[in-house]
Amino acid sequence: MFYIRFFISIIQEGIINEEEIALIGYMTFVVLMLSVMVIIFFVSFQKRKNKLLLDKIAQQKAYDAEMSRTQTEIQEATLKHVGRELHDNVGQLLAYAKMQLGMLGAKINPEAQSKLQETTKIVADSLEEVRALSKSLNNDVLLNMGFVDSLQNELNRLKRMSITTATLEIEGDAHPLAHRPHELVLFRILQEFFSNAVKYAEAESMTVMLDFQEAQLLITASDDGVGFDPVSAEKGSGLINMESRAVLIGANYHLKSAPQEGTTLRLAYPFPKEN
């Protein structure tokens, strides 16, 4: 209002004429239009820049997911091959050795029978371990056995190694997952956890809890090993694989540990919603 009164007073005093006022108004309008165009251009540029950035992030996520999926497939193919080799070659050799020892038992003197029986037991235990290990490595066998039975087989194998107690507890109505390959991914995560507990944590006891809820499967695995500090500890390939596999199937992953307090792994796998 001040400027309007100012221009009116100028006109009345005859300082500037109407043509000059029209020119000033025209120039003001042009400046305003240029300002609006600059603002629109800047906003459009920012939107396009943000869209390109979001697209780049989405592409990177898709690339990382594809790389993780490809790596998982390669690992599974390798484990499957090793499992078959153990079953078909090493297993057969041990079975043949066990049979030969049984035949030899009828031909040696009684004094050597005790040592032969001890050797036969070692070969039989080795054969059982090879068969159990070949099952835990072959994804086809794991899928046929099912998630719960595969876990129980792995825990039984741990008890024959260095773990004193390894228990599996189940709450709720245990059932196969709707997406069966995800059972294999969850099993591999737990298998990596077991391996770390045996090799590094010097654990003597292992407990796995499966809680089948309505909307999700909660998995809690814990050991009584030496533990570690997750903040200062350097992440190896095992820990990285565990977390990346969990992300791959949309499971919530949490690993808790402290020196001399053991390690606990928690996985929350959401069930797919029914259409």
Side-chain angles (χ1 to χ4, degrees):
M1 295 296 295
F2 171 77
Y3 291 106
I4 295 175
R5 288 196 298 268
F6 175 73
F7 280 114
I8 292 174
S9 64
I10 291 176
I11 294 171
Q12 290 174 350
E13 294 176 4
I15 298 176
I16 58 177
N17 56 38
E18 293 182 357
E19 292 181 356
E20 291 175 333
I21 292 175
L23 180 61
I24 292 173
Y26 175 75
M27 294 300 295
T28 303
F29 175 77
V30 170
V31 171
L32 288 174
M33 289 299 297
L34 288 174
S35 300
V36 171
M37 291 177 64
V38 169
I39 293 173
I40 293 175
F41 174 78
F42 179 76
V43 171
S44 300
F45 174 77
Q46 284 297 114
K47 285 184 177 180
R48 181 171 178 80
K49 181 180 177 181
N50 292 338
K51 184 178 183 302
L52 290 174
L53 181 61
L54 292 174
D55 289 344
K56 184 177 180 181
I57 294 174
Q59 290 174 1
Q60 184 64 42
K61 287 184 177 179
Y63 173 78
D64 292 340
E66 186 62 30
M67 286 295 294
S68 179
R69 187 177 296 106
T70 302
Q71 183 181 19
T72 300
E73 290 175 355
I74 293 173
Q75 290 174 346
E76 288 301 328
T78 303
L79 291 175
K80 182 177 181 179
H81 176 72
V82 173
R84 282 180 173 175
E85 289 296 315
L86 284 174
H87 182 272
D88 296 340
N89 296 328
V90 181
Q92 287 184 4
L93 289 174
L94 288 173
Y96 180 72
K98 181 182 176 183
M99 182 181 66
Q100 290 292 95
L101 288 172
M103 295 172 60
L104 183 62
K107 300 179 180 180
I108 64 174
N109 58 63
E111 296 178 356
Q113 284 287 345
S114 60
K115 290 186 178 181
L116 180 64
Q117 290 175 358
E118 183 179 349
T119 304
T120 304
K121 186 179 184 306
I122 292 174
V123 173
D125 292 343
S126 300
L127 178 60
E128 185 178 0
E129 175 61 24
V130 166
R131 286 173 175 170
L133 182 59
S134 66
K135 288 180 181 179
S136 69
L137 295 178
N138 194 322
N139 51 8
D140 290 338
V141 176
L142 292 173
L143 290 174
N144 288 332
M145 290 178 62
F147 181 57
V148 175
D149 290 341
S150 297
L151 270 182
Q152 189 62 67
N153 176 72
E154 188 70 5
L155 291 174
N156 292 339
R157 194 175 70 85
L158 289 175
K159 285 190 290 187
R160 292 194 297 268
M161 296 171 61
S162 59
I163 299 294
T164 305
T165 59
T167 58
L168 176 62
E169 301 175 6
I170 300 176
E171 291 187 0
D173 182 19
H175 57 82
L177 303 185
H179 195 48
R180 294 299 302 278
H182 286 184
E183 293 185 352
L184 182 61
V185 177
L186 291 172
F187 177 80
R188 292 299 184 210
I189 295 173
L190 291 170
Q191 192 176 44
E192 186 67 42
F193 178 82
F194 300 155
S195 178
N196 291 336
V198 173
K199 290 191 296 184
Y200 307 117
E202 302 175 6
E204 296 181 357
S205 177
M206 183 84 64
T207 302
V208 179
M209 167 69 76
L210 303 180
D211 185 4
F212 287 85
Q213 300 181 357
E214 183 177 353
Q216 63 181 353
L217 169 61
L218 293 180
I219 303 174
T220 304
S222 58
D223 66 52
D224 63 350
V226 297
F228 64 97
D229 183 3
V231 177
S232 60
E234 193 173 318
K235 279 192 174 182
S237 59
L239 294 178
I240 294 175
N241 283 341
M242 289 166 62
E243 189 169 2
S244 63
R245 285 176 183 266
V247 171
L248 192 63
I249 61 174
N252 184 275
Y253 170 92
H254 179 68
L255 188 68
K256 179 182 178 182
S257 185
Q260 307 306 321
E261 293 185 11
T263 304
T264 300
L265 169 67
R266 290 186 175 89
L267 294 168
Y269 173 75
F271 296 140
K273 295 181 180 179
E274 295 182 1
N275 294 328

